[in-house]
């Protein structure tokens, strides 16, 4: 929990302050998606496909419609259709054609749990009963779950209108392979020719769910004049507004979205599921419609992250210089295209200055729920393969795993494989910190192993809007358009208080709805403290400018003669014959009498979010009888740029590590032979709980991002990127065998141990 | 319904457009104060005094507290006390000492219905039951209801700590008379000496209630960190925030208030009643608390307007020149000081250039609910006396009642009695319009009479804030901090569309909560279309500036080379070789890619709201058998400056006239001998309903206010100022007798007819 390199001349930045919303969250007062009711509301429920792949021959809703208490029954006929997007494709695909079909299946169902119809009724019981009265006639089709298999010529085709897109154009035949992204530089053949040693491995990872505590929930209230109010749990209500409006052909201004408190998102609440359906049901019935998913529905029908099949080959000289690296990976996008392939290609080798490298990432549709973002989307499974291969390389070169990374580490001015140029980065600082940490040299016992891995993530910036208002009593509201997921209320408050030079208790952070705030992109991509934080700083600086002008007016000085120091306007002694000051509180009381209310606004498109690196050390112990893995010790060392609120930063780093433990050891979707999901609850889908993990130690390295006034980089994502690789490496180290297929569950480990023993290993 | 003088070069201003919220309001979808629930909420109820004046000897809440389902019982001990405000006093008194005692009686109850305790329980039934279990021991004191009597030395004193304040300081003894405001000019003795004729009259008016359809309602949700969210029906959520925060010693920023849809206010929803109690109950219980008043509670405990006792004397020469005017009036403030005395003094003679004039207005406490504002607060009862006296003057001079007003009418550059200097005003235009209207010369039948009166009101300006946001699809949200009472959504939309030069359907007006918007004063004083409208115009102009800059950037021109015309940025032909344009929609789609989201903000303190005059003609018929009055025809001629939305302007004028009919003919509080209110429902408190009134004709005179870009003056208040006087004048005219005591109810009229007949009249 060291907080090193921290400058101490800040009043609030970097301090451990009380959470502005902590008590409400732990006492159950905070209002999450499900904690809202509206008088007269109906209960929406969705009928879901029991088949992984089938044609919908007919839907008969007449019996459901006739049930007393049922106010509307909806099928895809009630959801506007949209044309398929055409090449050239954007890096991130928001294809309304796909989203409309994911929200409500049109001609085919594409995964177990795919929505096929919905009802709105006066009670949840009646709604559930009505679902049973909807008759859907299916023609079941063959399914495919594995991306490699799905990309093959023999696979059942999910979309007859989807062709493989490449520089040469579209493929002749429909294909589940939508497109492939390649990052490349140098000459691979030459690179491998220069190598003294070559490691070739295959790795697989499974789709895993974000596992947010709070299921998806919303209430839609449509009005007669085609306006809608929507209350929903989301990571970005402006994005939900955009998706709903576009999907339902509505004006953006007529959709007003309020973000509830959010019980976890991790990327999984960046898109729409029930929202457009609730809106349509509300429009059809003239009443508010509430739609809350069960946990089973969340697992069956909301997006997990991708699973992957990766082939990787790395060559190095004896001194550890990596001369060539090549990776090819198949990402399963789920039922609709859009796996985070660009981010994957970016991740593979971007921590290293490898002269000859290539990463090819395939975006493949399979009969699973459409993937969603999950904390550094696309990266952890790429890092799992790349870091696993490099760890084996180090092992075979008998090199220290940190040293081989130091030898090949990128520095300022270097570029990632996809061409991202690094500014001031803290990679070497992080690696040095690992080497000097006592965890790195601590002794290990029997059946114990230590793992190490590195993770890289390029953070997001983009559009953020802030309105800050100084009130008569000197308190300040700071309204943003970003739901607070990982502590943005705290970090916004800290930055506003730091700029103003006043106590943080005077600052009230507010999450405003879409009706009263400028566009603010998702709370995602580790962008919020960086981008929205910058908008907070600019908005508050506008307030300070106005207060300086106000003091100058009062003192009959020019604004240049007034400075802002420690929460007050100060007239320099030369201009006033002695220092004179007016505090924020005094100025606030005068403000509205001398003009309008004092506000500062900022609408920005923030660029220059920094890259960050997270290195992780983990010790595990294996029970040789059962294969059960106990994580013993865990240390995350990460360049956080500047920790605005260290408690939250540490929480992010710990959370990333814990989720990585889950990815590495336990989490996977289990399907039966009909591709029906079997583990749709937390009892069967095993995520780590507090008793499964050790205290996660954190070391905050602070190499400031020069593009942010306080040096902020994101922190939430790099810590997951390296985690599965580090844990897997520890398991390999403990059993002395390579293992290449996540999750490393006890039966698999036991099998590997047995195989090795049988082989005399 | 003529809309004369209207310029036709506007695209939207002055047009009759579809209401943006009309359908929702008539279909019951709009969410009023009572249309909100929160999971886990409790029901708050208030115990009210059965006595008009009594000491509270003790309150025993133990039995109520013990009732199952009761979560909290509150008395004044739970409401912070505040010191009495000290001289010099502001024109409008917001004395926290008084407000805290009005919200919850401290040592004494001062009127029938005064709050003495409150409970929060799990159901409304239990809450009501709990109220019955609270034992309050009272010592009943003598009461006083009449302001003249209350101002006398023998009256029971309401506040032992209240003394009469005057230029000489405070009175020796406590008094119900708080202060007197005097407007004066010239030499009264000389003025009356110059008069050929002098009229002396006494007039009385009764307190009347705003009679909004929607009773007061709120839900308070307190959080652990001393923050509060409040949902309430109000004319100004920023004012409610200020009052609650001040009263409960909270930071302004920590109180977030959302205004519900409002079912009428008319001034009656400018202050707090249940809100601070609901907040305290929520703080005590840790749960949301809902507080909804019954109609009986609204009548007994929320503020009506003042009643008055007025003596007036006016002298004129034979040619109709008024040489002197003197008025003295006692206004009953209710249980706490603060009758609108300044406005009353302003009203009396301010339509006329009377050289020698005086108006003295007394602010007197009586054992009635504390008065609240009611549409042109303090003015209609003053105008009733002044206009009544002038009508008698005209009658005795055998002069046309309009001519006598034209002769004495104020013009631009003149001053009101309280020193308000008139800018460009439309008084003479209004009077000329009356004379030329066919109503003015239409024949009357038996038992019919025609009344005429003039009303004046100086409109408010003040603090308003607006944030307008241009969205990607070219639609625009316009967020204000003003609840929509009389159509501000429509007028804001019209002004924004007019500035932008686009269809009004692209504009979505939003009422934002206090957390995301700068301070916005009440929707009251006819200020909103003027002040908030001006902020809308400025905010939208900022958007246009940004769009011109964006187009200039795109075209590589300077911003000066780009103009904004009819919804698009246009490059002049000289600078581009042919005209080139980019529409709002095109620019909107580019905007976020070239910078931040496009917004315009305005926080202003608007001055220069115009004065306006409303003249009213009304014909009535009296049933000589019953005294029943039937209004037959009604015409309102008013200078509206500029009618942004004529439908709403006419609605305001019609509504003012209808309320005036109620004041004049029916409305009054009926007390028993213990000063307990007897008519606490709409069956007994008789307000006009649709079948009671004729269609109210409106003539809109448009003399623009030069201080507003479109010439807006307020319209909602002058139309009530003249109404009671006009109706009373019609009754007098019909029966050929003077009557001086509102309401002119059938028994009173019958009595006056009988008296006159008995006297051989």
């Amino acid at each position: 929990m060291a907080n090193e390199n921290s400058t101490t001349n800040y009043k609030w930045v970097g301090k451990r302050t009380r959470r502005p919303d902590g008590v409400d969250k732990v006492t159950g007062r905070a209002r999450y998606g499900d904690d809202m009711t509206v008088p007269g509301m109906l209960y929406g429920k969705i009928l879901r496909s029991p088949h992984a792949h089938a044609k919908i021959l007919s839907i008969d809703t007449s019996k459901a419609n006739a049930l007393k208490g049922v106010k509307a029954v909806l099928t895809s006929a009630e959801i506007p259709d949209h044309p398929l997007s055409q090449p050239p494709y954007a890096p991130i695909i928001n294809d309304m054609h796909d989203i409309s079909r994911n929200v409500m299946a049109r001609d085919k169902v594409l995964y177990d749990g795919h929505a096929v119809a919905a009802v709105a009724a006066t009670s949840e019981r009646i709604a559930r009963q009505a679902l049973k009265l909807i008759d859907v006639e299916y023609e079941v089709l063959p399914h495919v779950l594995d991306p490699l298999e799905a990309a093959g010529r023999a696979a059942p085709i999910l979309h007859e209108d989807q062709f493989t897109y490449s520089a040469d154009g579209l493929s002749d035949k429909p294909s589940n392979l939508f497109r492939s992204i390649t990052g490349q530089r140098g000459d691979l053949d030459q690179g491998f020719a220069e190598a003294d040693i070559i490691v070739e491995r295959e790795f697989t990872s499974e789709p895993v769910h974000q596992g947010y505590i709070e299921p998806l929930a919303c209430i839609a209230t449509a009005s007669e004049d085609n306006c809608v109010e929507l209350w929903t749990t989301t990571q970005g209500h402006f994005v939900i507004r955009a998706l709903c409006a576009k999907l339902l052909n509505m004006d953006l201004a007529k959709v007003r979205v309020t973000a509830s408190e959010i019980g976890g998102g991790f990327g999984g609440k960046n898109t729409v599921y029930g929202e457009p359906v609730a809106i349509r049901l509300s429009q059809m019935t003239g009443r508010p419609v509430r739609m809350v998913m069960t946990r089973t529905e969340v697992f069956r029908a909301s997006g997990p992250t991708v699973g992957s099949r990766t082939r990787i080959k790395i060559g190095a000289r004896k001194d550890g210089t990596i001369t060539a690296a090549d990776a090819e990976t198949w990402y399963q996008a789920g039922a609709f295209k859009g796996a985070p392939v660009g981010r994957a290609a970016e991740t593979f080798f971007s921590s290293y200055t490898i002269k000859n490298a290539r990463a090819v990432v395939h975006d493949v549709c399979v009969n699973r729920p459409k993937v969603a973002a999950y904390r550094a989307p696309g990266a952890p499974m790429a890092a799992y393969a790349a870091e696993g291969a490099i760890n084996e390389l180090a092992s075979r070169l008998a090199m220290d795993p940190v040293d081989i990374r130091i030898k090949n580490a990128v520095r300022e001015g270097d570029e990632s494989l996809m061409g991202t140029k690094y500014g001031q980065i803290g990679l070497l600082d992080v690696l040095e910190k690992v080497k000097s940490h006592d965890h790195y040299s601590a002794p290990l016992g029997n059946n114990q192993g230590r793992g190490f891995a590195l993770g890289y993530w390029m953070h997001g910036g983009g559009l953020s809007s802030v309105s800050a208002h100084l009130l008569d009593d000197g308190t300040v509201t700071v309204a943003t358009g970003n739901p607070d997921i990982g502590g943005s209320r705290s970090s916004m408050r800290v930055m506003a208080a730091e700029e103003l030079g006043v106590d943080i208790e005077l600052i009230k952070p507010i999450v405003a709805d879409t009706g009263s705030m400028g566009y603010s992109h998702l709370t995602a991509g580790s962008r919020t403290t960086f981008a929205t934080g910058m908008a907070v700083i600019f908005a508050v600086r506008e307030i300070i400018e106005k207060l300086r002008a106000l003091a100058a007016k009062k003192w009959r000085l020019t604004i240049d003669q007034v400075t802002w120091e420690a929460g007050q306007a100060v007239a320099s002694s030369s201009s006033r014959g002695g220092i004179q000051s007016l505090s924020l509180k005094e100025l606030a009381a005068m403000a509205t009498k001398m003009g309008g209310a004092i506000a500062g606004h900022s609408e920005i498109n923030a660029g220059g979010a920094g890259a960050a690196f997270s290195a992780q050390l983990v010790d595990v112990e294996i029970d040789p009888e059962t294969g059960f893995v106990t994580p013993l010790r865990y240390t995350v060392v990460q360049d956080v740029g500047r920790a605005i609120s260290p408690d939250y930063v540490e929480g992010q780093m710990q959370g990333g590590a814990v989720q990585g433990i889950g990815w590495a050891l336990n989490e996977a979707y289990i399907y039966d032979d009909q591709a029906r999901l079997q583990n749709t609850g937390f009892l069967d889908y095993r995520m780590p709980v507090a008793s499964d993990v050790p205290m996660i130690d954190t070391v905050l390295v602070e190499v400031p991002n020069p593009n942010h006034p306080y040096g902020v980089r994101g922190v939430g994502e790099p810590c997951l990127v390296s985690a599965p690789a580090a844990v897997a490496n520890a398991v390999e180290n403990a059993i002395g065998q390579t293992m290449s297929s996540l999750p490393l569950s006890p039966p698999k480990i036991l099998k590997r141990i047995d195989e090795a023993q049988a082989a005399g290993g």
Side-chain angles (χ1 to χ4, degrees), chain A residues 9-14 466 468 470 474 476 478 490-504 506-507 529-530 532-548 563-569 584 587 600 602 642 644 707-712:
Chain A
N9 56 351
Y10 287 123
K11 189 178 165 79
W12 296 108
V13 167
V466 168
L470 174 63
V476 179
V478 177
S490 173
S491 58
M492 300 307 142
R493 190 173 67 158
V494 163
M495 286 183 271
E498 190 72 49
E499 287 292 321
L500 282 168
V502 299
D503 193 282
I504 54 164
L506 299 180
I507 314 291
T529 310
F530 172 73
T532 307
M534 207 157 8
V536 165
I537 292 167
F538 295 157
V540 167
R541 285 180 182 172
E542 188 182 331
I543 288 182
I544 291 172
E545 280 299 289
K546 288 181 180 175
L547 294 177
R548 284 174 57 217
T563 55
W564 188 261
E565 293 166 27
Q568 45 190 16
L584 180 75
L587 288 163
S602 177
R642 172 84 65 218
I644 298 295
N707 297 318
H708 183 281
Y710 297 135
V712 165

Side-chain angles (χ1 to χ4, degrees), chain A residues 264-554:
Chain A
F266 311 106
K269 291 178 182 167
N270 290 352
T271 188
V272 292
Y273 295 101
E275 290 89 346
V277 180
I279 291 173
R280 285 298 296 129
L281 288 171
S282 179
Q283 288 172 333
M284 293 165 74
T285 58
R287 288 171 64 172
V289 174
R290 183 170 190 261
M291 184 87 81
V292 180
M293 276 196 187
T294 62
R295 179 66 57 187
T296 293
E297 286 182 287
V298 168
F299 270 114
R300 288 176 73 203
S302 77
T305 188
V306 297
S308 63
R309 301 286 175 270
T310 305
R311 295 171 188 153
I312 192 162
K313 180 178 173 189
I314 299 192
R317 283 201 289 265
K318 280 179 186 153
D319 68 353
T321 306
I322 302 174
T323 57
D326 189 17
E328 182 172 16
T329 185
W330 286 260
Y331 271 23
Q332 48 200 9
F336 299 93
K337 62 185 175 280
V341 288
R343 284 301 207 163
E346 170 86 0
T347 300
F348 267 101
F349 306 117
S350 291
S351 303
Y352 309 108
T353 55
I354 305 172
K355 279 202 179 129
N356 311 292
R358 181 174 67 175
V360 183
V361 189
H362 306 293
D363 185 357
V364 189
C365 292
V366 297
N367 293 114
R368 295 172 180 260
K370 175 172 163 53
V371 294
Y374 183 168
R375 214 169 179 168
M381 47 295 268
Y384 166 55
E387 294 293 298
I390 290 171
N391 278 335
E392 187 173 338
L393 201 64
S395 160
R396 284 170 60 186
L397 286 168
M399 254 188 104
D400 179 278
V402 176
D403 283 342
I404 196 172
R405 280 151 174 115
I406 290 176
K407 185 155 200 81
N408 294 282
V410 288
R411 289 163 166 78
E412 184 170 351
D414 287 338
E415 281 187 7
S416 80
L417 190 56
M418 297 295 281
T420 304
K421 193 159 188 171
Y422 296 114
Q424 183 171 305
I425 51 173
L427 175 54
L428 285 172
D429 310 67
V430 164
L431 291 170
E432 295 295 348
K433 192 67 69 183
V434 171
K435 281 204 78 173
S436 64
H437 196 283
D438 70 348
H439 184 175
Y440 196 61
S441 50
L444 287 167
N446 277 348
N447 299 317
Q448 296 181 355
R450 175 163 300 144
F452 173 75
L454 189 59
Y456 151 74
W457 185 252
M458 173 54 73
H459 296 111
L463 296 163
S464 280
S465 300
V466 168
S467 283
H469 296 279
L470 174 63
L471 311 185
D472 288 2
D473 63 354
T475 59
V476 179
T477 55
V478 177
T480 75
N482 283 102
D484 182 350
I485 290 183
S488 56
R489 282 194 187 86
S490 173
S491 58
M492 300 307 142
R493 190 173 67 158
V494 163
M495 286 183 271
E498 190 72 49
E499 287 292 321
L500 282 168
V502 299
D503 193 282
I504 54 164
E505 286 297 326
L506 299 180
I507 314 291
K508 170 70 180 170
I510 302 266
V511 182
D513 68 69
T514 60
S516 46
M517 181 66 42
Y519 185 86
S520 299
H521 199 54
L522 297 164
T523 299
S526 303
R527 62 174 294 280
T528 308
T529 310
F530 172 73
T532 307
M534 207 157 8
V536 165
I537 292 167
F538 295 157
V540 167
R541 285 180 182 172
E542 188 182 331
I543 288 182
I544 291 172
E545 280 299 289
K546 288 181 180 175
L547 294 177
R548 284 174 57 217
L550 185 64
K553 191 173 165 190
K554 172 95 178 163

Side-chain angles (χ1 to χ4, degrees), chain A residues 643-665:
Chain A
I644 298 295
S645 302
D647 284 335
Y648 286 93
V649 168
E650 289 163 5
Q652 288 289 331
M653 290 161 67
Q654 291 165 332
V658 171
Q659 288 187 317
I661 291 172
W663 288 42
L665 300 180

